Every structure is written in structure tokens, then in C-alpha cells.
Amino acid sequence: MRKTTVMCPHCGRRLIDAEYGVKTQTKEIDMYDEGSPKERWTPDYYIKCWKCHSTIGYRRIT
């Protein structure tokens, strides 16, 4: 089993592992984002970083 590490975009710590070849996107979620719904980035999952306590949005591309 081959895997790749998904890192926190805020602090750089390891969040989770993903299967090798799977493309993902992560973004720190700002609860006070005032952009329109079309401009907002919609994640598949929400993860809380254990190190910096940021809320991270996670989306699988393929």
C-alpha cells in the first residue's frame, strides 16, 4: 500500500494520509468569509488540525 501525506495549509503538520495517486485540495476555512456562494470553495469534508486548531476543508479531486 502506497500513501501520500495531506498537510495542514496553516501550520504544515500532517492531517491525514491518502492513497498514492489521489489528488486532493485543502484550504483553511474562514467562518466569516463574506464571498458569494458561487465564489466560496466547497469542501467534501471538514478536518480540525490537532496542532493549530484551524478548521481545514478537504476535497478529493480524483
Side-chain angles (χ1 to χ4, degrees), residues 1-6 16-24 58 60:
M1 175 170 78
R2 298 171 75 184
K3 61 183 179 179
T4 184
T5 302
V6 178
I16 58 172
D17 295 326
E19 187 65 34
Y20 183 75
V22 173
K23 294 182 181 172
T24 62
Y58 174 82
R60 181 179 172 178

Side-chain angles (χ1 to χ4, degrees), residues 28-54:
E28 187 174 2
I29 301 298
D30 181 12
M31 296 300 179
Y32 302 104
D33 186 12
E34 296 181 5
S36 69
K38 286 188 174 185
E39 294 174 357
R40 287 191 203 140
W41 188 79
T42 308
D44 293 326
Y45 302 99
Y46 293 95
I47 303 168
K48 188 113 173 146
C49 179
W50 63 273
K51 178 68 176 174
C52 66
H53 305 289
S54 297

